[in-house]
Structures are given as C-alpha cells and as structure tokens.
Amino acid sequence: MKLPIHNRAFHYNDSFFETVMVVDGNLRFWRDHQARMREAAEALRLAIPAYFWNGELEDNLLYLARQHNSSKMGRLKLKVWRSGGGLYTPQTNEIEWLATAEPKQAIPEAGLIIGICQGVRTCYSSLSHFKGPHAPLYVLAGIEKQNKDFDDMLLLDAKGNVSELISSNIFWLKQGELFTPALETGCVNGILRRNILRWSQQQGIAVHQVIAKPEALLQAELVFASNVTGIRGIIKLENHTLPLDNERLQALKAGLQV
C-alpha cells in the first residue's frame, strides 16, 4: 500500500477510526458505530459518502472479514481521513479510508490489575468522544503501563477525576446503581458504553454519569472495564484489592451478549 506524501492523517492526524467486532458473520453494534462515525464526521467537518450508511460499506467489511478468516470472530479497524493536501487549512472535506481485518480470540476472563496513570491526563474537547485525534495520549499511557507492569492504566482528567482506561471505559456498581465517568472528563463515548447504559436503563437500574475521584472505586461492589471486545472485571487498583461481584458481571455480559 502506498500513501501520498501529503496524506493528512500522517501530517495532521486529520482523521478518526472505528474498531468493529465481527461475531458470527455480523458487525456487532454496527448501528452504534455508524452513529459515532456521524458524530466524528460532524466534529471534523468531513463529508462522508452515502455508501457508509446504506449498507454497501457493511457488506464490504463483512466480505473483507471473510477473506481474512475473521467472520466467526474478528476485529475490523476502519480508518477515515480527509483527502487532499493543504496545510492546516484543507483543500477539501472529502475522505479516503482504509479497512483491515484480523481474527480475534475471546477476551480473557481473568480480572484486571490496573495502576493510576501519572504521565498524561485526559482533556475534554469536541473531539475527545471518538477515537483518533487524541491517540498519542493513549500511546504514552500504554508505555507507562508497560514500564510499570500493569494490565491497564486508569486515566484521570486534569482535576484528578476518573476518566477511562487506555482503550476501555470504566464502570462501577454501588448499592445496585451503575456509575461511569461523564464525557466531560474527556473519556471516549465507547460503543459498549452506550449499550451498557441503554441496557441498564431498560433493566430499571439507576445510571449515573459522574465526576468522581479514584477513591470512589474503592467503595464499589464491582468495577469493570468495557470496550467493543467485551467486558472484564477489575480486581485491583494499585495496591488496593477491589471486590468482584461475579454474578452481576456475568448477568451483564449475558444481557449484552458479549
């Protein structure tokens, strides 16, 4: 594959991406992915072609998954960027895109041990709710995770409030009510996050999108991470052991079919 030297994703990160799971020949949560792509396109002022919405792109992504033995369970990555050249001021709002596919194993059942990231903080903006523009932040958090030998890192916002993990949203249950950081903390508005909130409300579970310090996690009955690959319990934060209500965790997984 060759990209032109003026590629705007390379020069300016003028782009976004979606990670989509293929399960049993279907794009899981595809309508939610389409909704987030619309949101990203509006924020970046990108002109997305009609075939992104009318079924043509979906058919082509599933064909790609079949060609790469990823139809039973696989992960697709769709990268979308502004075409043309220009400096900060672009020449066009039209797009180019690239999709890749690879087989994926089910995520482990073992609980996560996480640390609190010290090197970077999340920052709320009109671009922080979708994937791509703030990617270097997560790269640096990933390096810190590697150096400190944690499974993941808890990212805080500029005021020290809980925001998210490196590639997952974070939730906790307390007294039967569900809590997750508000988008104002700079967290990504994850696809599974949307579905967890929707399902919980349908089940009559009180849902709160909050501004909270890390200490709130220590008082919870269950803390878990979610992204499009699935849900995993969190069993330890730094040196603090967290309770794991496995019955509730499994009920959530069953309800969402992840």
Side-chain angles (χ1 to χ4, degrees):
M1 177 184 176
K2 294 182 179 180
L3 292 174
I5 193 65
H6 61 257
N7 177 272
R8 295 188 61 82
F10 173 70
H11 279 280
Y12 300 112
N13 201 18
D14 190 3
S15 62
F16 70 88
F17 70 87
E18 285 287 316
T19 303
V20 185
M21 293 300 295
V22 187
V23 180
D24 294 330
N26 295 295
L27 302 181
R28 190 163 66 187
F29 304 134
W30 178 238
R31 299 296 171 255
D32 288 304
H33 283 288
Q34 286 182 309
R36 189 166 66 178
M37 287 193 287
R38 289 182 187 274
E39 295 161 8
E42 182 179 353
L44 292 169
R45 307 295 190 266
L46 297 175
I48 304 295
Y51 63 80
F52 265 56
W53 322 121
N54 64 15
E56 183 179 343
L57 177 63
E58 182 178 3
D59 290 343
N60 278 281
L61 292 177
L62 289 172
Y63 175 77
L64 177 68
R66 290 193 296 270
Q67 294 301 303
H68 289 269
N69 299 315
S70 304
S71 187
K72 181 66 177 176
M73 178 171 284
R75 178 164 55 189
L76 293 166
K77 185 170 183 180
L78 177 63
K79 178 79 171 176
V80 180
W81 63 90
R82 196 186 316 269
S83 62
L87 299 177
Y88 282 121
T89 304
Q91 297 172 341
T92 178
N93 291 326
E94 300 300 314
I95 67 157
E96 296 174 342
W97 59 273
L98 170 70
T100 57
E102 61 180 2
K104 182 74 173 66
Q105 300 296 319
I107 64 171
E109 289 288 336
L112 294 167
I113 299 173
I114 67 173
I116 297 177
C117 186
Q118 302 297 324
V120 291
R121 297 288 178 100
T122 59
C123 180
Y124 175 75
S125 76
S126 61
L127 310 179
S128 57
H129 61 283
F130 57 92
K131 294 184 175 183
H134 292 193
L137 182 152
Y138 304 106
V139 171
L140 292 174
I143 293 171
E144 184 174 336
K145 175 197 76 171
Q146 194 174 48
N147 290 339
K148 294 182 176 180
D149 198 27
F150 284 109
D151 296 324
D152 212 323
M153 300 300 287
L154 176 64
L155 296 170
L156 309 179
D157 69 8
K159 295 183 178 180
N161 300 307
V162 175
S163 180
E164 59 186 342
L165 303 183
I166 294 173
S167 58
S168 304
N169 291 116
I170 188 168
F171 289 83
W172 60 98
L173 275 169
K174 183 179 179 182
Q175 297 179 346
E177 299 185 356
L178 184 68
F179 297 82
T180 196
L183 295 180
E184 286 75 16
T185 63
C187 66
V188 170
N189 191 1
I191 298 301
L192 196 51
R193 178 187 190 272
R194 299 171 191 231
N195 281 272
I196 290 170
L197 295 177
R198 187 183 304 140
W199 180 84
S200 297
Q201 289 168 339
Q202 291 170 350
Q203 300 302 308
I205 299 170
V207 172
H208 308 279
Q209 300 182 54
V210 299
I211 305 296
K213 300 298 183 185
E215 289 75 19
L217 304 181
L218 306 182
Q219 302 165 6
E221 297 145 14
L222 169 67
V223 184
F224 62 92
S226 76
N227 60 30
V228 290
T229 65
I231 295 171
R232 290 184 71 177
I234 299 173
I235 58 174
K236 199 168 185 180
L237 172 63
E238 295 282 347
N239 295 320
H240 301 281
T241 299
L242 302 177
L244 181 64
D245 188 333
N246 195 56
E247 184 176 343
R248 286 187 179 180
L249 187 63
Q250 296 306 320
L252 179 62
K253 291 180 179 181
L256 291 162
Q257 298 181 347
V258 295

